[in-house]
Protein backbone atom coordinates (compact mmCIF):
# COMPACT_ATOMS: atom_id res chain seq x y z
CA UNK A 1 0.00 0.00 0.00
CA UNK A 2 1.22 3.48 -0.84
CA UNK A 3 -0.71 6.71 -0.50
CA UNK A 4 -0.94 8.96 -3.52
CA UNK A 5 -1.21 12.64 -2.66
CA UNK A 6 -3.08 14.29 -5.51
CA UNK A 7 -1.32 17.56 -6.39
CA UNK A 8 -2.97 18.31 -9.75
CA UNK A 9 -5.17 21.12 -8.37
CA UNK A 10 -2.08 22.83 -6.89
CA UNK A 11 1.26 21.97 -8.50
CA UNK A 12 -0.42 20.92 -11.75
CA UNK A 13 -2.62 23.96 -12.29
CA UNK A 14 -0.06 26.36 -10.82
CA UNK A 15 2.30 25.56 -13.68
CA UNK A 16 -0.23 25.73 -16.51
CA UNK A 17 -0.47 29.04 -18.33
CA UNK A 18 -4.26 28.75 -18.64
CA UNK A 19 -6.28 30.25 -15.78
CA UNK A 20 -8.85 27.61 -14.85
CA UNK A 21 -12.16 28.88 -13.37
CA UNK A 22 -12.79 28.07 -9.71
CA UNK A 23 -15.84 25.95 -10.56
CA UNK A 24 -13.73 23.77 -12.87
CA UNK A 25 -11.10 23.31 -10.17
CA UNK A 26 -13.81 22.17 -7.77
CA UNK A 27 -15.22 19.78 -10.39
CA UNK A 28 -11.69 18.37 -10.90
CA UNK A 29 -11.35 17.84 -7.14
CA UNK A 30 -14.79 16.21 -6.96
CA UNK A 31 -13.81 13.83 -9.77
CA UNK A 32 -10.58 13.01 -7.93
CA UNK A 33 -12.51 12.16 -4.77
CA UNK A 34 -14.81 9.94 -6.84
CA UNK A 35 -11.67 8.19 -8.12
CA UNK A 36 -10.59 7.45 -4.55
CA UNK A 37 -8.29 10.39 -3.74
CA UNK A 38 -8.30 11.07 0.00
CA UNK A 39 -5.44 13.52 0.40
CA UNK A 40 -5.53 16.41 -2.02
CA UNK A 41 -3.24 19.42 -2.28
CA UNK A 42 -6.05 21.75 -3.25
CA UNK A 43 -4.41 25.14 -3.54
CA UNK A 44 -1.57 27.43 -2.56
CA UNK A 45 -1.75 30.43 -0.24
CA UNK A 46 0.89 32.55 -1.91
CA UNK A 47 0.72 36.09 -3.19
CA UNK A 48 -1.80 36.25 -6.06
CA UNK A 49 0.48 38.57 -8.01
CA UNK A 50 3.24 35.93 -7.94
CA UNK A 51 0.96 32.99 -8.76
CA UNK A 52 -2.23 34.23 -10.38
CA UNK A 53 -3.33 30.61 -11.02
CA UNK A 54 -3.88 30.24 -7.26
CA UNK A 55 -5.51 33.63 -6.60
CA UNK A 56 -8.83 31.90 -5.83
CA UNK A 57 -7.45 29.78 -2.96
CA UNK A 58 -10.16 30.83 -0.50
CA UNK A 59 -12.95 30.30 -3.06
CA UNK A 60 -11.65 26.82 -3.90
CA UNK A 61 -11.56 25.80 -0.23
CA UNK A 62 -15.04 27.25 0.30
CA UNK A 63 -16.41 25.19 -2.58
CA UNK A 64 -14.85 21.75 -2.16
CA UNK A 65 -16.95 18.95 -0.62
CA UNK A 66 -16.17 17.99 2.96
CA UNK A 67 -16.44 14.23 2.62
CA UNK A 68 -15.45 11.91 5.47
CA UNK A 69 -11.83 10.85 5.22
CA UNK A 70 -10.91 13.49 2.65
CA UNK A 71 -8.09 15.77 3.77
CA UNK A 72 -7.18 19.01 2.01
CA UNK A 73 -3.66 20.35 1.95
CA UNK A 74 -2.78 23.99 1.38
CA UNK A 75 0.70 25.03 0.36
CA UNK A 76 2.12 27.91 2.37
CA UNK A 77 5.50 29.62 2.30
CA UNK A 78 5.30 31.72 5.47
CA UNK A 79 3.05 32.89 8.34
CA UNK A 80 0.99 35.17 6.10
CA UNK A 81 0.13 32.13 4.01
CA UNK A 82 -0.63 30.16 7.15
CA UNK A 83 -3.08 32.81 8.35
CA UNK A 84 -5.00 32.45 5.09
CA UNK A 85 -4.82 28.64 5.15
CA UNK A 86 -6.16 28.52 8.72
CA UNK A 87 -9.01 30.86 7.84
CA UNK A 88 -9.83 28.82 4.73
CA UNK A 89 -10.07 25.61 6.74
CA UNK A 90 -7.40 23.31 5.32
CA UNK A 91 -6.61 20.04 7.11
CA UNK A 92 -2.87 20.16 6.51
CA UNK A 93 -0.24 22.62 5.40
CA UNK A 94 2.66 21.85 3.12
CA UNK A 95 5.60 24.19 3.62
CA UNK A 96 8.25 24.30 0.91
CA UNK A 97 11.88 24.89 1.76
CA UNK A 98 14.67 24.54 -0.79
CA UNK A 99 17.89 22.58 -0.38
CA UNK A 100 20.07 25.06 -2.25
CA UNK A 101 20.96 28.54 -1.01
CA UNK A 102 20.64 30.28 -4.37
CA UNK A 103 17.28 28.71 -5.18
CA UNK A 104 15.99 29.50 -1.67
CA UNK A 105 16.90 33.18 -1.95
CA UNK A 106 15.37 33.44 -5.41
CA UNK A 107 12.22 31.42 -4.77
CA UNK A 108 11.44 32.26 -1.16
CA UNK A 109 13.38 35.47 -0.76
CA UNK A 110 15.26 34.11 2.24
CA UNK A 111 18.31 32.06 3.12
CA UNK A 112 17.87 28.38 3.99
CA UNK A 113 18.51 29.19 7.68
CA UNK A 114 15.82 31.88 7.58
CA UNK A 115 13.45 29.43 5.87
CA UNK A 116 13.98 26.92 8.70
CA UNK A 117 13.16 29.58 11.30
CA UNK A 118 10.07 30.59 9.32
CA UNK A 119 9.08 26.92 9.07
CA UNK A 120 9.38 26.51 12.85
CA UNK A 121 7.01 29.43 13.39
CA UNK A 122 4.49 28.13 10.82
CA UNK A 123 4.75 24.59 12.10
CA UNK A 124 4.22 25.55 15.75
CA UNK A 125 1.08 27.53 15.01
CA UNK A 126 -0.31 24.97 12.55
CA UNK A 127 0.16 22.10 14.99
CA UNK A 128 -1.42 24.15 17.77
CA UNK A 129 -4.43 24.52 15.45
CA UNK A 130 -4.55 20.75 14.94
CA UNK A 131 -3.25 20.71 11.37
CA UNK A 132 -0.84 18.23 9.83
CA UNK A 133 2.47 19.76 8.79
CA UNK A 134 4.63 18.60 5.90
CA UNK A 135 8.05 20.01 5.10
CA UNK A 136 8.78 19.68 1.40
CA UNK A 137 12.47 19.93 0.55
CA UNK A 138 12.58 21.40 -2.95
CA UNK A 139 15.52 20.75 -5.28
CA UNK A 140 16.48 17.66 -3.28
CA UNK A 141 17.73 15.98 -6.47
CA UNK A 142 19.43 18.98 -8.06
CA UNK A 143 19.21 22.74 -8.38
CA UNK A 144 18.71 24.77 -11.56
CA UNK A 145 21.20 27.36 -10.30
CA UNK A 146 23.80 25.39 -8.34
CA UNK A 147 23.65 22.01 -10.09
CA UNK A 148 24.28 18.95 -7.93
CA UNK A 149 22.89 18.93 -4.37
CA UNK A 150 24.58 16.60 -1.90
CA UNK A 151 22.34 14.08 -0.07
CA UNK A 152 24.06 15.20 3.15
CA UNK A 153 22.82 18.76 2.54
CA UNK A 154 19.28 17.46 2.07
CA UNK A 155 19.58 15.29 5.17
CA UNK A 156 20.76 18.28 7.22
CA UNK A 157 17.71 20.26 6.19
CA UNK A 158 15.45 17.27 6.88
CA UNK A 159 16.85 17.05 10.41
CA UNK A 160 16.27 20.78 10.94
CA UNK A 161 12.65 20.44 9.74
CA UNK A 162 12.05 17.39 11.92
CA UNK A 163 13.41 19.31 14.90
CA UNK A 164 11.18 22.26 13.99
CA UNK A 165 7.99 20.18 14.14
CA UNK A 166 7.28 18.56 10.75
CA UNK A 167 5.23 15.40 10.94
CA UNK A 168 6.03 14.36 7.35
CA UNK A 169 9.02 15.00 5.09
CA UNK A 170 8.56 15.30 1.32
CA UNK A 171 11.62 15.13 -0.91
CA UNK A 172 10.95 16.95 -4.17
CA UNK A 173 12.69 16.56 -7.51
CA UNK A 174 11.52 20.05 -8.44
CA UNK A 175 13.27 20.15 -11.82
CA UNK A 176 12.98 16.46 -12.72
CA UNK A 177 16.62 15.41 -12.89
CA UNK A 178 16.82 12.44 -10.51
CA UNK A 179 17.25 8.74 -11.21
CA UNK A 180 16.47 5.70 -9.00
CA UNK A 181 20.03 5.56 -7.66
CA UNK A 182 19.50 9.11 -6.31
CA UNK A 183 16.27 8.01 -4.62
CA UNK A 184 18.11 5.22 -2.82
CA UNK A 185 20.91 7.57 -1.72
CA UNK A 186 18.40 10.13 -0.40
CA UNK A 187 16.35 7.52 1.46
CA UNK A 188 19.52 6.29 3.13
CA UNK A 189 20.70 9.81 4.01
CA UNK A 190 17.27 10.77 5.38
CA UNK A 191 16.82 7.58 7.37
CA UNK A 192 20.01 8.51 9.17
CA UNK A 193 18.40 11.62 10.65
CA UNK A 194 14.66 10.95 11.11
CA UNK A 195 11.95 8.31 11.33
CA UNK A 196 9.21 10.62 10.05
CA UNK A 197 7.10 9.27 7.14
CA UNK A 198 8.73 9.99 3.77
CA UNK A 199 6.79 11.37 0.85
CA UNK A 200 8.27 11.93 -2.61
CA UNK A 201 7.44 14.48 -5.27
CA UNK A 202 8.60 13.59 -8.77
CA UNK A 203 8.40 15.41 -12.06
CA UNK A 204 8.73 13.43 -15.28
CA UNK A 205 10.74 16.20 -16.95
CA UNK A 206 13.36 13.76 -18.26
CA UNK A 207 11.28 10.57 -18.28
CA UNK A 208 12.72 9.26 -15.02
CA UNK A 209 9.75 10.08 -12.75
CA UNK A 210 7.98 6.72 -12.78
CA UNK A 211 11.18 4.74 -12.24
CA UNK A 212 11.93 7.04 -9.30
CA UNK A 213 8.44 6.60 -7.87
CA UNK A 214 8.56 2.79 -8.00
CA UNK A 215 12.02 2.82 -6.44
CA UNK A 216 10.83 5.13 -3.65
CA UNK A 217 7.98 2.73 -2.83
CA UNK A 218 10.38 -0.20 -2.85
CA UNK A 219 12.53 1.69 -0.34
CA UNK A 220 9.77 2.50 2.08
CA UNK A 221 8.17 5.75 0.88
CA UNK A 222 4.80 6.21 2.60
CA UNK A 223 3.37 8.59 0.02
CA UNK A 224 3.91 9.83 -3.53
CA UNK A 225 2.72 13.05 -5.11
CA UNK A 226 1.12 12.85 -8.57
CA UNK A 227 -1.23 14.94 -10.70
CA UNK A 228 -4.18 13.47 -12.59
CA UNK A 229 -3.38 14.01 -16.27
CA UNK A 230 0.26 14.66 -15.45
CA UNK A 231 -0.55 18.34 -15.82
CA UNK A 232 1.83 21.07 -14.80
CA UNK A 233 5.25 21.83 -16.10
CA UNK A 234 8.60 23.11 -15.04
CA UNK A 235 9.28 26.83 -14.61
CA UNK A 236 12.91 26.19 -15.57
CA UNK A 237 12.17 24.28 -18.78
CA UNK A 238 9.29 25.95 -20.60
CA UNK A 239 8.46 23.02 -22.89
CA UNK A 240 8.90 20.27 -20.31
CA UNK A 241 6.25 17.95 -18.95
CA UNK A 242 5.01 18.16 -15.35
CA UNK A 243 4.33 15.96 -12.36
CA UNK A 244 4.12 12.22 -12.81
CA UNK A 245 0.54 11.41 -13.78
CA UNK A 246 -1.75 9.86 -11.19
CA UNK A 247 -3.31 7.43 -13.68
CA UNK A 248 0.01 6.23 -15.08
CA UNK A 249 1.34 5.78 -11.54
CA UNK A 250 -1.83 3.96 -10.52
CA UNK A 251 -1.39 1.58 -13.45
CA UNK A 252 2.27 0.89 -12.65
CA UNK A 253 1.52 0.32 -8.96
CA UNK A 254 -1.46 -1.93 -9.61
CA UNK A 255 0.49 -4.15 -11.99
CA UNK A 256 3.28 -4.24 -9.40
CA UNK A 257 0.81 -5.58 -6.84
CA UNK A 258 0.79 -2.37 -4.77
CA UNK A 259 -2.54 -0.89 -3.69
CA UNK A 260 -3.15 2.86 -3.88
CA UNK A 261 -6.89 3.09 -3.23
CA UNK A 262 -7.52 4.75 -6.59
CA UNK A 263 -9.51 3.44 -9.54
CA UNK A 264 -7.77 3.86 -12.86
CA UNK A 265 -10.97 4.70 -14.74
CA UNK A 266 -11.88 7.31 -12.14
CA UNK A 267 -8.52 9.07 -12.45
CA UNK A 268 -8.71 8.93 -16.26
CA UNK A 269 -12.13 10.62 -16.01
CA UNK A 270 -10.74 13.38 -13.77
CA UNK A 271 -7.85 13.89 -16.19
CA UNK A 272 -10.25 14.12 -19.15
CA UNK A 273 -12.18 16.81 -17.31
CA UNK A 274 -9.12 18.98 -16.73
CA UNK A 275 -7.77 18.24 -20.23
CA UNK A 276 -10.99 19.66 -21.65
CA UNK A 277 -10.62 22.71 -19.42
CA UNK A 278 -6.97 23.32 -20.39
CA UNK A 279 -7.69 22.77 -24.07
CA UNK A 280 -4.50 20.81 -24.70
CA UNK A 281 -3.53 17.14 -24.58
CA UNK A 282 -2.31 16.14 -21.12
CA UNK A 283 1.03 14.28 -20.78
CA UNK A 284 -0.52 11.20 -19.10
CA UNK A 285 -0.46 8.14 -21.36
CA UNK A 286 -3.08 5.80 -19.85
CA UNK A 287 -5.99 7.81 -21.21
CA UNK A 288 -4.54 7.39 -24.71
CA UNK A 289 -3.19 3.83 -24.50
CA UNK A 290 -5.95 2.15 -22.49
CA UNK A 291 -5.78 -0.22 -19.56
CA UNK A 292 -4.32 -3.74 -19.72
CA UNK A 293 -5.67 -6.30 -19.67
CA UNK A 294 -9.00 -4.88 -20.55
CA UNK A 295 -10.25 -2.44 -23.10
CA UNK A 296 -7.05 -2.82 -25.05
CA UNK A 297 -8.00 -5.73 -27.29
CA UNK A 298 -9.07 -4.55 -30.73
CA UNK A 299 -11.59 -7.39 -30.80
CA UNK A 300 -13.51 -6.47 -27.68
CA UNK B 1 28.14 -0.91 -19.29
CA UNK B 2 25.06 -1.72 -21.30
CA UNK B 3 24.75 -1.75 -25.06
CA UNK B 4 21.96 0.28 -26.63
CA UNK B 5 20.68 -1.19 -29.89
CA UNK B 6 19.34 1.71 -31.93
CA UNK B 7 16.01 0.68 -33.47
CA UNK B 8 14.72 4.09 -34.59
CA UNK B 9 15.40 3.46 -38.29
CA UNK B 10 13.40 0.19 -38.11
CA UNK B 11 10.84 -0.05 -35.30
CA UNK B 12 10.59 3.71 -34.99
CA UNK B 13 10.05 4.59 -38.64
CA UNK B 14 8.01 1.45 -39.32
CA UNK B 15 5.33 2.73 -36.95
CA UNK B 16 5.22 6.31 -38.17
CA UNK B 17 2.58 7.10 -40.78
CA UNK B 18 4.92 9.45 -42.65
CA UNK B 19 7.02 7.84 -45.37
CA UNK B 20 10.55 9.09 -44.84
CA UNK B 21 12.80 9.34 -47.94
CA UNK B 22 15.71 6.91 -48.11
CA UNK B 23 18.26 9.73 -48.02
CA UNK B 24 16.78 11.03 -44.76
CA UNK B 25 16.92 7.54 -43.23
CA UNK B 26 20.58 7.32 -44.15
CA UNK B 27 21.25 10.78 -42.68
CA UNK B 28 19.50 9.66 -39.47
CA UNK B 29 21.72 6.56 -39.32
CA UNK B 30 24.83 8.65 -39.98
CA UNK B 31 23.87 10.99 -37.14
CA UNK B 32 23.33 7.98 -34.86
CA UNK B 33 26.80 6.66 -35.67
CA UNK B 34 28.24 10.11 -34.93
CA UNK B 35 26.47 9.88 -31.55
CA UNK B 36 28.24 6.62 -30.80
CA UNK B 37 25.70 4.00 -31.96
CA UNK B 38 27.48 0.82 -33.01
CA UNK B 39 24.60 -1.64 -33.40
CA UNK B 40 21.76 -0.32 -35.49
CA UNK B 41 18.57 -2.07 -36.59
CA UNK B 42 18.55 -0.36 -39.94
CA UNK B 43 15.55 -1.83 -41.72
CA UNK B 44 13.13 -4.70 -42.11
CA UNK B 45 12.98 -7.22 -44.92
CA UNK B 46 9.24 -7.80 -44.93
CA UNK B 47 6.74 -7.51 -47.75
CA UNK B 48 6.59 -3.89 -48.95
CA UNK B 49 2.81 -4.10 -49.28
CA UNK B 50 2.52 -4.98 -45.57
CA UNK B 51 5.05 -2.40 -44.39
CA UNK B 52 5.46 0.33 -47.02
CA UNK B 53 7.69 2.30 -44.62
CA UNK B 54 10.39 -0.37 -45.10
CA UNK B 55 10.00 -0.85 -48.88
CA UNK B 56 13.44 0.72 -49.45
CA UNK B 57 15.34 -1.82 -47.31
CA UNK B 58 17.89 -2.62 -50.02
CA UNK B 59 18.45 1.05 -50.85
CA UNK B 60 19.01 1.90 -47.19
CA UNK B 61 21.57 -0.86 -46.78
CA UNK B 62 23.32 0.19 -50.02
CA UNK B 63 23.59 3.77 -48.73
CA UNK B 64 24.69 3.44 -45.13
CA UNK B 65 28.36 4.00 -44.23
CA UNK B 66 30.45 0.92 -43.47
CA UNK B 67 32.41 2.28 -40.53
CA UNK B 68 34.66 0.00 -38.45
CA UNK B 69 32.81 -1.49 -35.52
CA UNK B 70 29.34 -0.53 -36.80
CA UNK B 71 27.00 -3.49 -37.16
CA UNK B 72 23.72 -3.35 -39.06
CA UNK B 73 20.78 -5.52 -38.13
CA UNK B 74 17.96 -6.40 -40.51
CA UNK B 75 14.62 -7.67 -39.22
CA UNK B 76 13.38 -10.78 -41.01
CA UNK B 77 10.31 -12.94 -40.46
CA UNK B 78 11.15 -15.91 -42.71
CA UNK B 79 13.57 -17.32 -45.31
CA UNK B 80 12.37 -14.97 -48.03
CA UNK B 81 13.31 -12.07 -45.78
CA UNK B 82 16.64 -13.73 -45.01
CA UNK B 83 17.46 -14.04 -48.73
CA UNK B 84 16.99 -10.31 -49.10
CA UNK B 85 18.92 -9.52 -45.92
CA UNK B 86 21.88 -11.65 -47.05
CA UNK B 87 21.93 -10.00 -50.47
CA UNK B 88 21.73 -6.55 -48.86
CA UNK B 89 24.74 -7.26 -46.65
CA UNK B 90 23.45 -6.97 -43.09
CA UNK B 91 25.73 -8.04 -40.21
CA UNK B 92 22.98 -9.58 -38.10
CA UNK B 93 19.39 -10.68 -38.45
CA UNK B 94 16.68 -10.17 -35.88
CA UNK B 95 13.88 -12.72 -36.17
CA UNK B 96 10.61 -11.97 -34.41
CA UNK B 97 8.51 -14.74 -32.91
CA UNK B 98 5.49 -14.08 -30.70
CA UNK B 99 4.75 -15.63 -27.32
CA UNK B 100 1.00 -15.87 -27.88
CA UNK B 101 -0.68 -18.23 -30.32
CA UNK B 102 -3.35 -15.75 -31.50
CA UNK B 103 -0.86 -12.93 -32.04
CA UNK B 104 1.52 -15.28 -33.87
CA UNK B 105 -1.15 -16.43 -36.28
CA UNK B 106 -2.30 -12.88 -36.94
CA UNK B 107 1.10 -11.22 -37.16
CA UNK B 108 3.22 -13.92 -38.77
CA UNK B 109 0.51 -16.08 -40.33
CA UNK B 110 1.77 -19.18 -38.52
CA UNK B 111 1.47 -21.00 -35.24
CA UNK B 112 4.18 -20.59 -32.62
CA UNK B 113 5.48 -24.09 -33.38
CA UNK B 114 5.67 -23.25 -37.10
CA UNK B 115 7.47 -20.01 -36.22
CA UNK B 116 10.08 -21.97 -34.27
CA UNK B 117 10.68 -24.29 -37.23
CA UNK B 118 10.96 -21.28 -39.54
CA UNK B 119 13.37 -19.66 -37.09
CA UNK B 120 15.56 -22.77 -37.07
CA UNK B 121 15.81 -22.66 -40.86
CA UNK B 122 16.61 -18.93 -40.94
CA UNK B 123 19.06 -19.24 -38.07
CA UNK B 124 20.96 -22.13 -39.61
CA UNK B 125 21.46 -20.36 -42.92
CA UNK B 126 22.27 -17.00 -41.31
CA UNK B 127 24.91 -18.52 -39.04
CA UNK B 128 26.40 -20.41 -41.95
CA UNK B 129 26.77 -17.04 -43.68
CA UNK B 130 28.55 -15.63 -40.61
CA UNK B 131 25.70 -13.43 -39.39
CA UNK B 132 24.63 -12.85 -35.81
CA UNK B 133 21.14 -14.16 -35.02
CA UNK B 134 18.76 -12.67 -32.48
CA UNK B 135 15.41 -14.21 -31.57
CA UNK B 136 13.01 -11.50 -30.41
CA UNK B 137 10.09 -12.85 -28.40
CA UNK B 138 7.23 -10.44 -29.07
CA UNK B 139 4.39 -9.96 -26.57
CA UNK B 140 6.59 -11.33 -23.77
CA UNK B 141 4.88 -9.00 -21.28
CA UNK B 142 1.31 -9.34 -22.53
CA UNK B 143 -0.75 -9.91 -25.67
CA UNK B 144 -3.33 -7.56 -27.19
CA UNK B 145 -5.53 -10.56 -28.03
CA UNK B 146 -4.99 -13.03 -25.21
CA UNK B 147 -4.10 -10.69 -22.33
CA UNK B 148 -1.65 -12.04 -19.77
CA UNK B 149 1.27 -14.16 -21.00
CA UNK B 150 2.86 -16.49 -18.46
CA UNK B 151 6.65 -16.15 -17.93
CA UNK B 152 6.83 -19.96 -18.27
CA UNK B 153 5.37 -19.68 -21.79
CA UNK B 154 8.00 -17.11 -22.70
CA UNK B 155 10.74 -19.24 -21.16
CA UNK B 156 9.59 -22.26 -23.18
CA UNK B 157 9.87 -20.29 -26.39
CA UNK B 158 13.25 -18.91 -25.34
CA UNK B 159 14.51 -22.47 -24.83
CA UNK B 160 13.20 -23.48 -28.25
CA UNK B 161 14.95 -20.52 -29.88
CA UNK B 162 18.20 -21.20 -28.03
CA UNK B 163 18.04 -24.83 -29.20
CA UNK B 164 17.34 -23.61 -32.74
CA UNK B 165 20.53 -21.53 -32.90
CA UNK B 166 19.89 -18.02 -31.57
CA UNK B 167 22.96 -16.30 -30.20
CA UNK B 168 20.98 -13.58 -28.44
CA UNK B 169 17.47 -13.48 -26.95
CA UNK B 170 15.44 -10.26 -26.97
CA UNK B 171 12.33 -10.03 -24.81
CA UNK B 172 9.91 -7.49 -26.23
CA UNK B 173 7.12 -5.61 -24.50
CA UNK B 174 5.47 -5.09 -27.88
CA UNK B 175 2.39 -3.32 -26.52
CA UNK B 176 4.02 -1.53 -23.58
CA UNK B 177 2.19 -3.07 -20.63
CA UNK B 178 5.00 -4.38 -18.42
CA UNK B 179 6.31 -3.12 -15.08
CA UNK B 180 9.67 -3.73 -13.36
CA UNK B 181 8.29 -6.69 -11.38
CA UNK B 182 7.50 -8.38 -14.73
CA UNK B 183 11.08 -7.76 -15.88
CA UNK B 184 12.44 -9.50 -12.80
CA UNK B 185 10.08 -12.47 -13.25
CA UNK B 186 11.03 -12.82 -16.92
CA UNK B 187 14.76 -12.59 -16.22
CA UNK B 188 14.38 -15.34 -13.62
CA UNK B 189 12.29 -17.54 -15.92
CA UNK B 190 14.70 -17.05 -18.82
CA UNK B 191 17.82 -17.65 -16.75
CA UNK B 192 16.37 -21.04 -15.92
CA UNK B 193 16.57 -22.14 -19.55
CA UNK B 194 19.51 -20.35 -21.20
CA UNK B 195 22.75 -18.45 -20.63
CA UNK B 196 22.50 -16.51 -23.91
CA UNK B 197 22.88 -12.72 -23.65
CA UNK B 198 19.54 -11.04 -22.87
CA UNK B 199 18.36 -7.97 -24.73
CA UNK B 200 15.15 -6.10 -23.89
CA UNK B 201 12.79 -4.12 -26.11
CA UNK B 202 10.53 -1.70 -24.26
CA UNK B 203 7.82 0.63 -25.43
CA UNK B 204 6.84 3.56 -23.23
CA UNK B 205 3.14 3.16 -24.11
CA UNK B 206 2.04 3.44 -20.47
CA UNK B 207 5.04 5.33 -19.06
CA UNK B 208 6.69 2.23 -17.60
CA UNK B 209 9.41 1.78 -20.25
CA UNK B 210 12.29 3.58 -18.55
CA UNK B 211 11.65 1.94 -15.18
CA UNK B 212 11.65 -1.41 -16.99
CA UNK B 213 14.88 -0.61 -18.81
CA UNK B 214 16.75 0.37 -15.64
CA UNK B 215 15.45 -2.74 -13.88
CA UNK B 216 16.57 -4.94 -16.78
CA UNK B 217 20.10 -3.51 -16.57
CA UNK B 218 20.14 -4.02 -12.82
CA UNK B 219 19.23 -7.66 -13.44
CA UNK B 220 21.93 -8.36 -15.99
CA UNK B 221 20.51 -7.35 -19.38
CA UNK B 222 23.34 -7.08 -21.89
CA UNK B 223 21.50 -4.80 -24.32
CA UNK B 224 18.48 -2.51 -24.56
CA UNK B 225 16.60 -1.39 -27.66
CA UNK B 226 15.73 2.29 -27.97
CA UNK B 227 14.88 4.76 -30.74
CA UNK B 228 16.42 8.22 -30.99
CA UNK B 229 13.55 10.65 -30.48
CA UNK B 230 11.36 7.88 -29.05
CA UNK B 231 9.72 7.72 -32.47
CA UNK B 232 7.35 4.96 -33.44
CA UNK B 233 4.08 4.00 -31.91
CA UNK B 234 1.91 1.06 -31.17
CA UNK B 235 -0.24 -0.58 -33.85
CA UNK B 236 -2.74 -1.56 -31.12
CA UNK B 237 -3.10 1.91 -29.59
CA UNK B 238 -3.20 4.50 -32.36
CA UNK B 239 -2.42 7.52 -30.17
CA UNK B 240 0.19 5.86 -28.02
CA UNK B 241 3.87 6.72 -27.83
CA UNK B 242 6.58 4.42 -29.17
CA UNK B 243 9.91 2.91 -28.17
CA UNK B 244 11.76 4.29 -25.21
CA UNK B 245 13.89 7.19 -26.46
CA UNK B 246 17.62 6.68 -26.84
CA UNK B 247 18.47 10.13 -25.45
CA UNK B 248 16.22 9.79 -22.39
CA UNK B 249 17.64 6.33 -21.72
CA UNK B 250 21.19 7.63 -22.20
CA UNK B 251 20.49 10.37 -19.63
CA UNK B 252 19.04 7.93 -17.09
CA UNK B 253 21.92 5.48 -17.53
CA UNK B 254 24.60 8.15 -17.34
CA UNK B 255 23.20 9.59 -14.10
CA UNK B 256 22.98 6.03 -12.78
CA UNK B 257 26.70 5.60 -13.42
CA UNK B 258 26.19 3.14 -16.30
CA UNK B 259 28.11 3.67 -19.53
CA UNK B 260 26.40 3.23 -22.90
CA UNK B 261 29.00 4.63 -25.31
CA UNK B 262 26.56 7.29 -26.59
CA UNK B 263 26.82 11.05 -26.30
CA UNK B 264 23.60 12.72 -25.21
CA UNK B 265 24.10 15.74 -27.46
CA UNK B 266 24.76 13.47 -30.44
CA UNK B 267 21.55 11.51 -29.91
CA UNK B 268 19.57 14.73 -29.42
CA UNK B 269 20.95 15.93 -32.77
CA UNK B 270 19.89 12.69 -34.50
CA UNK B 271 16.42 13.01 -32.97
CA UNK B 272 16.13 16.62 -34.13
CA UNK B 273 16.96 15.49 -37.64
CA UNK B 274 14.22 12.86 -37.75
CA UNK B 275 11.76 15.16 -35.93
CA UNK B 276 12.22 17.68 -38.72
CA UNK B 277 11.65 14.91 -41.27
CA UNK B 278 8.49 13.62 -39.57
CA UNK B 279 7.12 17.13 -39.06
CA UNK B 280 5.79 16.41 -35.56
CA UNK B 281 7.21 16.71 -32.05
CA UNK B 282 8.96 13.49 -31.00
CA UNK B 283 8.06 11.90 -27.62
CA UNK B 284 11.60 12.10 -26.21
CA UNK B 285 11.91 14.65 -23.41
CA UNK B 286 15.64 15.41 -23.20
CA UNK B 287 15.61 17.56 -26.31
CA UNK B 288 12.93 19.72 -24.69
CA UNK B 289 14.10 19.71 -21.06
CA UNK B 290 17.86 19.97 -21.53
CA UNK B 291 20.70 18.08 -19.90
CA UNK B 292 21.56 18.29 -16.19
CA UNK B 293 23.78 19.60 -14.88
CA UNK B 294 24.64 21.77 -17.81
CA UNK B 295 22.67 23.89 -20.18
CA UNK B 296 19.71 23.84 -17.82
CA UNK B 297 20.54 26.88 -15.73
CA UNK B 298 18.60 29.95 -16.88
CA UNK B 299 21.65 32.05 -16.06
CA UNK B 300 24.14 30.29 -18.29
Amino acid sequence: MVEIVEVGPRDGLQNESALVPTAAKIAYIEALIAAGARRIEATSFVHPKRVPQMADAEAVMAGVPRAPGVRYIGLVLNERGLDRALAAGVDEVNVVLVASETFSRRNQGMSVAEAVRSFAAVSGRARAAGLGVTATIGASFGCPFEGEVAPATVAGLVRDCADAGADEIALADTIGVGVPADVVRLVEATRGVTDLPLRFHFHNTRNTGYANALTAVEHGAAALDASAGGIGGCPFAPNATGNIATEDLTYALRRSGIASGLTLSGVVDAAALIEHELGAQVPALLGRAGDFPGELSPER
Side-chain angles (χ1 to χ4, degrees), chain A:
Chain A
M1 172 74 195
V2 67
E3 179 178 55
I4 299 183
V5 179
E6 174 58 49
V7 300
R10 203 280 302 169
D11 199 32
L13 292 181
Q14 174 171 334
N15 288 295
E16 294 285 345
S17 51
L19 288 178
V20 172
T22 307
K25 292 181 178 179
I26 293 168
Y28 181 41
I29 289 171
E30 287 171 340
L32 290 163
I33 293 170
R38 290 296 173 265
R39 215 173 151 209
I40 301 171
E41 199 158 291
T43 188
S44 177
F45 297 92
V46 293
H47 199 291
K49 286 223 174 112
R50 274 195 68 189
V51 186
Q53 292 91 337
M54 297 288 119
D56 61 353
E58 280 78 5
V60 168
M61 283 308 302
V64 292
R66 290 301 191 153
V70 174
R71 292 173 65 78
Y72 292 109
I73 307 169
L75 186 141
V76 305
L77 291 179
N78 50 39
E79 288 192 77
R80 286 190 303 281
L82 175 66
D83 291 336
R84 291 175 58 198
L86 288 168
V90 303
D91 302 296
E92 307 178 23
V93 289
N94 180 15
V95 187
V96 177
L97 302 90
V98 189
S100 106
E101 204 59 57
T102 311
F103 199 171
S104 181
R105 286 176 191 273
R106 284 171 165 261
N107 201 53
Q108 335 276 76
M110 42 189 160
S111 70
V112 175
E114 286 165 339
V116 171
R117 284 194 291 276
S118 168
F119 173 72
V122 168
S123 169
R125 289 182 52 207
R127 286 168 77 107
L131 270 56
V133 180
T134 300
T136 290
I137 315 296
S140 285
F141 292 74
C143 168
F145 306 106
E146 297 186 8
E148 306 289 358
V149 171
T153 303
V154 177
L157 188 49
V158 166
R159 190 190 50 231
D160 291 344
C161 291
D163 291 346
D167 42 38
E168 180 186 59
I169 299 292
L171 300 179
D173 188 5
T174 311
I175 55 171
V177 297
V179 295
D182 297 321
V183 176
V184 176
R185 272 192 291 269
L186 276 175
V187 168
E188 287 169 357
T190 306
R191 282 290 162 243
V193 298
T194 182
D195 290 327
L196 288 176
L198 273 187
R199 169 177 157 194
F200 280 88
H201 178 96
F202 293 116
H203 282 238
N204 198 39
T205 317
R206 289 170 184 78
N207 252 329
T208 62
Y210 299 92
N212 292 344
L214 293 173
T215 301
V217 173
E218 200 182 326
H219 286 80
L224 294 170
D225 289 0
S227 79
I231 61 169
C234 178
F236 300 98
N239 300 312
T241 187
N243 298 97
I244 56 173
T246 312
E247 58 268 54
D248 296 4
L249 180 61
T250 300
Y251 174 86
L253 290 170
R254 195 196 67 206
R255 276 196 79 76
S256 305
I258 300 162
S260 70
L262 297 173
T263 65
L264 191 49
S265 61
V267 182
V268 168
D269 288 348
L273 187 153
I274 203 68
E275 178 170 70
H276 177 77
E277 203 60 46
L278 293 171
Q281 190 176 58
V282 297
L285 297 180
L286 254 293
R288 282 183 253 169
D291 197 5
F292 176 85
E295 305 98 282
L296 185 74
S297 166
E299 295 196 315
R300 280 182 206 168

